[in-house]
Amino acid sequence: MRPNISDVHMWSPEPLRRLSSHLIEADRQVEDILDEIRRRADAEFTVWKGVGATAAGAHLSGTLRTSSRISIVVRSIADLYAGAANTLGRAYLEARTIADEASFSGMTVTNIGEVFPPSPLSPINLADILQNNQYAEAAATFGRTLSAALDTVECVEHESDEALAIAFRQLAALLEAPPALVSGPIILPDNPTELSAYWNSLSPIEKDSLATRFPTIGNRDGLPALDRDYYNRRYLDSLSTSPDRTYAAVASELRPDMFLLSLSTDGHAVIALGNPDTADNVATLVPGTGTSLSGIGGDLARTTAMFNSARAAAPGSANSVILWSGYNAPPSLPDAGFDSFADGAAPALDKFQDGLRASHDGPASHNVVIGHSYGSTVIGAATTDGASLDVDDLVFVASPGVDADRVSDLRLDSISAADMGEHVYATTAFWDPVQLVPKVLGTHGFDPSDPKFGAQVFESAPGAPGLSIHGEYWNAENPALNTLGRIISGT
């Protein structure tokens, strides 16, 4: 139902945010209880053997799987409440701002959103007539914009209600008898948008059935972040016991507020801070030479620094910053002179960005891709020679070149070539030796931090002679970090 002006002035997003926080906390408490049940059951099954023990183990496994699936839906509902707080907050603020501005301008605003001009002046002269006409036109303009803003609030509320209704139906289905599992040959769509539509048509039990057949299903672009995290953490549990300690290192870095969006046995992982499906702003960091899962802690620290910087730049916005270690990075500096690593990574980066668009809830988010060192070369390969990314802004940090001579050589799906300069940012510290690559070797094209390239160049701390400055752009005292936060948050 369309709100009135009293509703607009009384509404607050805080109850929705508190409800979201309470659901998350309750889910964590339930998870602690389930973990304790698992530990006790494992202890019992070390001594209890036989047919009865096997049956009990199977029953317990099924119960725990269902409980985990319920947890996913509960966290999804919590995210929907948090997302509604953000989207409704913006819609209500817009309506309230218009109503207040109309009142401040001398207009009368009724409770149903009608706007009337002040009592007309006696038309003694031409000035009075013109003044009356101006008031009438202003009232009509305020009335149209306020009506549109109230319609937007009603539309956003309806969309939020529908999304919550779907989630609650999923929760109810989990509490009933399980439906038939997915059977027969399955060919999952490769296109992220098509996969998203197919996935959303399935029940939770059917999704679990598919995950049983495809243990790495959480790696597929287009699936919701909550589901990707759920299945990938299960997959990580199976890998963490392998002799390769790399995956144990990944497990040790994961926190409850992170989303494991991808994990593969060829040494790749994608981890998000904040849910990209409900965020207003989504940034993806593409790291450079030498990137590996064994050293993922350093890249996650940079990701966290940008997440915190974006939150500081726009305290009221919801942000997600993603570490995309989803490609075979050059293992050494000599290898970084070749374009082959970037060319191989570009299609995967493109598909990942398409997946973020496909799974996002509500209005489109502001998406940014940030390339550090050779990671910027990867972005260049994904935005040149006919390739394009579905993002809003690009950022090149300490770039050795992006295989382009001018910013107009780059391509983004929704940005014209003439406007690219407004959507590309670059920085390189004074003492960072990486700038010698494009200036002396020229192996990856022009230096995007050179003003002649046409990007918006921003300041970094100069650093000191040596290699250490190449990784210091995310230090708290470096002005580059503050600028990264503003770019991510769109401020």
Side-chain angles (χ1 to χ4, degrees), residues 23-258:
L23 283 172
I24 291 173
E25 180 58 31
D27 179 67
R28 288 175 178 169
Q29 292 177 7
V30 170
E31 186 61 32
D32 289 342
I33 293 172
L34 293 175
D35 286 343
E36 179 61 22
I37 291 174
R38 290 186 186 95
R39 286 192 292 269
R40 293 188 180 186
D42 288 343
E44 291 295 331
F45 287 132
T46 59
V47 294
W48 184 24
K49 306 295 181 182
V51 176
T54 301
H59 180 74
L60 177 61
S61 295
T63 300
L64 292 176
R65 280 196 300 272
T66 301
S67 299
S68 295
R69 171 50 63 183
I70 290 173
S71 174
I72 282 289
V73 177
V74 168
R75 284 190 284 138
S76 175
I77 292 171
D79 271 352
L80 287 172
Y81 278 126
N86 292 326
T87 55
L88 279 172
R90 288 193 296 272
Y92 269 105
L93 177 61
E94 176 69 15
R96 185 165 61 247
T97 299
I98 295 170
D100 290 347
E101 186 178 349
S103 298
F104 182 77
S105 300
M107 309 293 161
T108 298
V109 181
T110 69
N111 199 41
I112 62 173
E114 297 173 318
V115 182
F116 296 100
S119 298
L121 299 171
S122 298
I124 299 175
N125 52 47
L126 180 59
D128 292 337
I129 296 174
L130 292 175
Q131 184 67 66
N132 290 338
N133 289 339
Q134 288 176 352
Y135 277 134
E137 290 175 3
T141 300
F142 276 123
R144 288 193 297 270
T145 55
L146 181 56
S147 178
L150 292 174
D151 287 342
T152 297
V153 172
E154 183 180 20
C155 179
V156 172
E157 284 187 330
H158 177 70
E159 291 174 351
S160 299
D161 287 344
E162 283 194 333
L164 282 166
I166 292 172
F168 278 114
R169 285 198 295 271
Q170 290 178 342
L171 184 61
L174 286 169
L175 301 177
E176 298 173 355
L181 301 181
V182 174
S183 59
I186 294 292
I187 300 177
L188 295 175
D190 187 59
N191 179 278
T193 302
E194 295 175 1
L195 179 60
S196 177
Y198 171 73
W199 184 260
N200 290 332
S201 72
L202 302 177
S203 71
I205 301 299
E206 289 171 328
K207 294 174 183 177
D208 280 345
S209 174
L210 276 178
T212 300
R213 298 172 64 175
F214 305 102
T216 61
I217 197 167
N219 293 340
R220 294 177 181 259
D221 298 314
L223 266 61
L226 281 166
D227 286 334
R228 296 182 74 162
D229 179 68
Y230 170 65
Y231 292 117
N232 283 329
R233 286 184 187 250
R234 287 172 56 180
Y235 186 51
L236 177 60
D237 287 341
S238 67
L239 294 176
S240 296
T241 58
S242 69
D244 187 349
R245 301 303 298 166
T246 299
Y247 300 101
V250 174
S252 68
E253 294 288 345
L254 283 178
R255 303 196 311 260
D257 60 340
M258 293 179 177

Side-chain angles (χ1 to χ4, degrees), residues 412-491:
L412 297 179
D413 287 5
S414 58
I415 308 297
S416 68
D419 294 332
M420 281 299 298
E422 300 176 12
H423 297 270
V424 180
Y425 303 82
T427 189
T428 300
F430 180 81
W431 285 109
D432 194 329
V434 74
Q435 62 189 293
L436 298 175
V437 175
K439 292 177 180 177
V440 178
L441 301 178
T443 54
H444 299 304
F446 204 77
D447 182 358
S449 293
D450 189 316
K452 295 179 182 177
F453 184 80
Q456 299 185 59
V457 180
F458 59 98
E459 180 189 4
S460 296
L467 296 176
S468 62
I469 182 59
H470 192 61
E472 294 177 356
Y473 296 87
W474 293 268
N475 290 358
E477 67 277 7
N478 197 320
L481 179 59
N482 292 331
T483 303
L484 287 168
R486 291 195 295 271
I487 295 171
I488 292 169
S489 60
T491 58

Side-chain angles (χ1 to χ4, degrees), residues 184-388:
I186 294 292
I187 300 177
L188 295 175
D190 187 59
N191 179 278
T193 302
E194 295 175 1
L195 179 60
S196 177
Y198 171 73
W199 184 260
N200 290 332
S201 72
L202 302 177
S203 71
I205 301 299
E206 289 171 328
K207 294 174 183 177
D208 280 345
S209 174
L210 276 178
T212 300
R213 298 172 64 175
F214 305 102
T216 61
I217 197 167
N219 293 340
R220 294 177 181 259
D221 298 314
L223 266 61
L226 281 166
D227 286 334
R228 296 182 74 162
D229 179 68
Y230 170 65
Y231 292 117
N232 283 329
R233 286 184 187 250
R234 287 172 56 180
Y235 186 51
L236 177 60
D237 287 341
S238 67
L239 294 176
S240 296
T241 58
S242 69
D244 187 349
R245 301 303 298 166
T246 299
Y247 300 101
V250 174
S252 68
E253 294 288 345
L254 283 178
R255 303 196 311 260
D257 60 340
M258 293 179 177
F259 294 79
L260 184 57
L261 302 182
S262 182
L263 180 74
S264 60
T265 54
D266 54 2
H268 301 159
V270 179
I271 299 175
L273 277 76
N275 187 344
D277 292 342
T278 58
D280 303 314
N281 306 295
V282 180
T284 302
L285 172 64
V286 183
T289 301
T291 296
S292 67
L293 294 187
S294 59
I296 199 170
D299 288 324
L300 279 176
R302 294 168 181 169
T303 306
T304 302
M306 289 191 290
F307 180 81
N308 292 335
S309 182
R311 183 168 53 186
S317 63
N319 305 301
S320 176
V321 182
I322 304 167
L323 169 61
W324 190 79
S325 294
Y327 78 108
N328 292 322
S332 66
L333 289 177
D335 293 313
F338 296 98
D339 285 331
S340 56
F341 296 93
D343 293 339
L349 179 61
D350 184 21
K351 189 176 179 182
F352 177 72
Q353 295 302 316
D354 289 344
L356 291 178
R357 293 297 193 193
S359 63
H360 192 268
D361 299 325
S365 54
H366 167 243
N367 287 13
V368 183
V369 178
I370 302 163
H372 175 225
S373 193
Y374 193 87
S376 66
T377 308
V378 172
I379 296 174
T383 55
T384 57
D385 295 329
S388 178

